[in-house]
PDB file of all heavy atoms in Angstrom:
ATOM      1  N   LEU A 324       6.389  23.609   1.570  1.00  0.00           N
ATOM      2  CA  LEU A 324       6.827  24.807   2.117  1.00  0.00           C
ATOM      3  C   LEU A 324       7.075  24.641   3.581  1.00  0.00           C
ATOM      4  O   LEU A 324       7.967  25.233   4.219  1.00  0.00           O
ATOM      5  CB  LEU A 324       5.881  25.983   1.899  1.00  0.00           C
ATOM      6  CG  LEU A 324       5.736  26.376   0.438  1.00  0.00           C
ATOM      7  CD1 LEU A 324       4.640  27.452   0.282  1.00  0.00           C
ATOM      8  CD2 LEU A 324       6.996  26.833  -0.195  1.00  0.00           C
ATOM      9  N   CYS A 333      11.145  29.764  -0.580  1.00  0.00           N
ATOM     10  CA  CYS A 333      11.320  29.002  -1.763  1.00  0.00           C
ATOM     11  C   CYS A 333      12.044  29.880  -2.866  1.00  0.00           C
ATOM     12  O   CYS A 333      12.894  29.320  -3.665  1.00  0.00           O
ATOM     13  CB  CYS A 333       9.979  28.582  -2.330  1.00  0.00           C
ATOM     14  SG  CYS A 333       9.987  27.642  -3.841  1.00  0.00           S
ATOM     15  N   ASP A 334      11.846  31.195  -2.855  1.00  0.00           N
ATOM     16  CA  ASP A 334      12.438  32.076  -3.877  1.00  0.00           C
ATOM     17  C   ASP A 334      13.979  32.254  -3.662  1.00  0.00           C
ATOM     18  O   ASP A 334      14.645  32.969  -4.397  1.00  0.00           O
ATOM     19  CB  ASP A 334      11.769  33.369  -3.984  1.00  0.00           C
ATOM     20  CG  ASP A 334      11.753  34.140  -2.675  1.00  0.00           C
ATOM     21  OD1 ASP A 334      12.423  33.713  -1.747  1.00  0.00           O
ATOM     22  OD2 ASP A 334      10.976  35.184  -2.528  1.00  0.00           O
ATOM     23  N   CYS A 336      15.944  30.017  -4.324  1.00  0.00           N
ATOM     24  CA  CYS A 336      16.391  29.336  -5.551  1.00  0.00           C
ATOM     25  C   CYS A 336      15.691  30.065  -6.759  1.00  0.00           C
ATOM     26  O   CYS A 336      14.549  30.124  -6.769  1.00  0.00           O
ATOM     27  CB  CYS A 336      16.073  27.900  -5.523  1.00  0.00           C
ATOM     28  SG  CYS A 336      17.004  26.888  -4.396  1.00  0.00           S
ATOM     29  N   SER A 337      16.476  30.504  -7.661  1.00  0.00           N
ATOM     30  CA  SER A 337      15.938  31.208  -8.858  1.00  0.00           C
ATOM     31  C   SER A 337      15.187  30.237  -9.725  1.00  0.00           C
ATOM     32  O   SER A 337      14.333  30.644 -10.536  1.00  0.00           O
ATOM     33  CB  SER A 337      17.077  31.900  -9.641  1.00  0.00           C
ATOM     34  OG  SER A 337      18.018  30.909 -10.087  1.00  0.00           O
ATOM     35  N   THR A 338      15.483  28.909  -9.559  1.00  0.00           N
ATOM     36  CA  THR A 338      14.848  27.924 -10.461  1.00  0.00           C
ATOM     37  C   THR A 338      13.573  27.282  -9.806  1.00  0.00           C
ATOM     38  O   THR A 338      13.010  26.325 -10.276  1.00  0.00           O
ATOM     39  CB  THR A 338      15.829  26.774 -10.760  1.00  0.00           C
ATOM     40  OG1 THR A 338      16.384  26.287  -9.550  1.00  0.00           O
ATOM     41  CG2 THR A 338      16.965  27.291 -11.667  1.00  0.00           C
ATOM     42  N   ARG A 339      13.250  27.869  -8.642  1.00  0.00           N
ATOM     43  CA  ARG A 339      12.045  27.315  -7.928  1.00  0.00           C
ATOM     44  C   ARG A 339      11.013  28.422  -7.689  1.00  0.00           C
ATOM     45  O   ARG A 339      11.317  29.590  -7.687  1.00  0.00           O
ATOM     46  CB  ARG A 339      12.484  26.700  -6.594  1.00  0.00           C
ATOM     47  CG  ARG A 339      13.208  25.327  -6.723  1.00  0.00           C
ATOM     48  CD  ARG A 339      13.387  24.600  -5.447  1.00  0.00           C
ATOM     49  NE  ARG A 339      13.918  23.329  -5.757  1.00  0.00           N
ATOM     50  CZ  ARG A 339      13.171  22.251  -5.996  1.00  0.00           C
ATOM     51  NH1 ARG A 339      11.869  22.331  -5.921  1.00  0.00           N
ATOM     52  NH2 ARG A 339      13.696  21.083  -6.305  1.00  0.00           N
ATOM     53  N   VAL A 340       9.773  27.961  -7.410  1.00  0.00           N
ATOM     54  CA  VAL A 340       8.709  28.951  -7.288  1.00  0.00           C
ATOM     55  C   VAL A 340       7.599  28.265  -6.321  1.00  0.00           C
ATOM     56  O   VAL A 340       7.485  27.065  -6.343  1.00  0.00           O
ATOM     57  CB  VAL A 340       8.069  29.304  -8.603  1.00  0.00           C
ATOM     58  CG1 VAL A 340       7.425  28.137  -9.251  1.00  0.00           C
ATOM     59  CG2 VAL A 340       7.049  30.417  -8.424  1.00  0.00           C
ATOM     60  N   GLU A 341       7.010  29.090  -5.514  1.00  0.00           N
ATOM     61  CA  GLU A 341       5.925  28.606  -4.664  1.00  0.00           C
ATOM     62  C   GLU A 341       4.740  28.222  -5.546  1.00  0.00           C
ATOM     63  O   GLU A 341       4.324  28.968  -6.453  1.00  0.00           O
ATOM     64  CB  GLU A 341       5.507  29.686  -3.681  1.00  0.00           C
ATOM     65  CG  GLU A 341       6.472  29.936  -2.544  1.00  0.00           C
ATOM     66  CD  GLU A 341       5.888  30.735  -1.410  1.00  0.00           C
ATOM     67  OE1 GLU A 341       4.706  30.990  -1.344  1.00  0.00           O
ATOM     68  OE2 GLU A 341       6.690  31.245  -0.591  1.00  0.00           O
ATOM     69  N   ASN A 342       4.165  27.068  -5.325  1.00  0.00           N
ATOM     70  CA  ASN A 342       3.033  26.595  -6.081  1.00  0.00           C
ATOM     71  C   ASN A 342       2.048  26.048  -5.048  1.00  0.00           C
ATOM     72  O   ASN A 342       2.079  24.858  -4.719  1.00  0.00           O
ATOM     73  CB  ASN A 342       3.580  25.445  -7.035  1.00  0.00           C
ATOM     74  CG  ASN A 342       2.508  25.207  -8.100  1.00  0.00           C
ATOM     75  OD1 ASN A 342       2.154  26.052  -8.877  1.00  0.00           O
ATOM     76  ND2 ASN A 342       2.062  23.899  -8.210  1.00  0.00           N
ATOM     77  N   TYR A 345       3.418  24.124  -2.076  1.00  0.00           N
ATOM     78  CA  TYR A 345       4.662  23.338  -2.432  1.00  0.00           C
ATOM     79  C   TYR A 345       5.689  24.332  -3.050  1.00  0.00           C
ATOM     80  O   TYR A 345       5.344  25.339  -3.576  1.00  0.00           O
ATOM     81  CB  TYR A 345       4.387  22.280  -3.449  1.00  0.00           C
ATOM     82  CG  TYR A 345       3.548  21.060  -2.887  1.00  0.00           C
ATOM     83  CD1 TYR A 345       2.168  21.192  -2.876  1.00  0.00           C
ATOM     84  CD2 TYR A 345       4.196  19.998  -2.372  1.00  0.00           C
ATOM     85  CE1 TYR A 345       1.380  20.151  -2.307  1.00  0.00           C
ATOM     86  CE2 TYR A 345       3.450  18.962  -1.816  1.00  0.00           C
ATOM     87  CZ  TYR A 345       2.034  19.036  -1.820  1.00  0.00           C
ATOM     88  OH  TYR A 345       1.328  17.994  -1.277  1.00  0.00           O
ATOM     89  N   CYS A 346       6.976  23.923  -2.922  1.00  0.00           N
ATOM     90  CA  CYS A 346       8.030  24.623  -3.580  1.00  0.00           C
ATOM     91  C   CYS A 346       8.442  23.761  -4.725  1.00  0.00           C
ATOM     92  O   CYS A 346       9.073  22.723  -4.568  1.00  0.00           O
ATOM     93  CB  CYS A 346       9.173  24.906  -2.622  1.00  0.00           C
ATOM     94  SG  CYS A 346      10.620  25.747  -3.308  1.00  0.00           S
ATOM     95  N   VAL A 347       8.192  24.198  -6.009  1.00  0.00           N
ATOM     96  CA  VAL A 347       8.354  23.344  -7.133  1.00  0.00           C
ATOM     97  C   VAL A 347       9.480  23.839  -8.104  1.00  0.00           C
ATOM     98  O   VAL A 347       9.825  25.004  -8.057  1.00  0.00           O
ATOM     99  CB  VAL A 347       7.176  23.167  -7.988  1.00  0.00           C
ATOM    100  CG1 VAL A 347       5.983  22.655  -7.174  1.00  0.00           C
ATOM    101  CG2 VAL A 347       6.651  24.515  -8.576  1.00  0.00           C
ATOM    102  N   SER A 348      10.106  22.950  -8.833  1.00  0.00           N
ATOM    103  CA  SER A 348      11.154  23.252  -9.758  1.00  0.00           C
ATOM    104  C   SER A 348      10.502  23.799 -11.072  1.00  0.00           C
ATOM    105  O   SER A 348       9.655  23.102 -11.746  1.00  0.00           O
ATOM    106  CB  SER A 348      12.023  22.063 -10.040  1.00  0.00           C
ATOM    107  OG  SER A 348      12.943  22.317 -11.140  1.00  0.00           O
ATOM    108  N   LYS A 349      10.888  24.969 -11.501  1.00  0.00           N
ATOM    109  CA  LYS A 349      10.336  25.583 -12.731  1.00  0.00           C
ATOM    110  C   LYS A 349      10.941  24.902 -13.999  1.00  0.00           C
ATOM    111  O   LYS A 349      10.425  24.991 -15.105  1.00  0.00           O
ATOM    112  CB  LYS A 349      10.639  27.053 -12.787  1.00  0.00           C
ATOM    113  CG  LYS A 349       9.957  27.849 -11.802  1.00  0.00           C
ATOM    114  CD  LYS A 349      10.098  29.367 -11.930  1.00  0.00           C
ATOM    115  CE  LYS A 349      11.481  29.837 -11.610  1.00  0.00           C
ATOM    116  NZ  LYS A 349      11.618  31.281 -11.709  1.00  0.00           N
ATOM    117  N   PHE A 381       1.692  28.393 -10.559  1.00  0.00           N
ATOM    118  CA  PHE A 381       2.641  28.183 -11.626  1.00  0.00           C
ATOM    119  C   PHE A 381       2.155  27.082 -12.542  1.00  0.00           C
ATOM    120  O   PHE A 381       2.361  27.239 -13.790  1.00  0.00           O
ATOM    121  CB  PHE A 381       4.035  27.844 -11.007  1.00  0.00           C
ATOM    122  CG  PHE A 381       5.048  27.535 -12.001  1.00  0.00           C
ATOM    123  CD1 PHE A 381       5.565  28.477 -12.871  1.00  0.00           C
ATOM    124  CD2 PHE A 381       5.454  26.185 -12.161  1.00  0.00           C
ATOM    125  CE1 PHE A 381       6.597  28.159 -13.750  1.00  0.00           C
ATOM    126  CE2 PHE A 381       6.462  25.877 -13.081  1.00  0.00           C
ATOM    127  CZ  PHE A 381       7.001  26.848 -13.955  1.00  0.00           C
TER     128      PHE A 381
END
Side-chain angles (χ1 to χ4, degrees):
L324 296 175
C333 183
D334 58 11
C336 286
S337 60
T338 54
R339 289 189 170 271
V340 63
E341 287 191 13
N342 196 59
Y345 292 87
C346 180
V347 303
S348 170
K349 293 189 289 187
F381 175 71

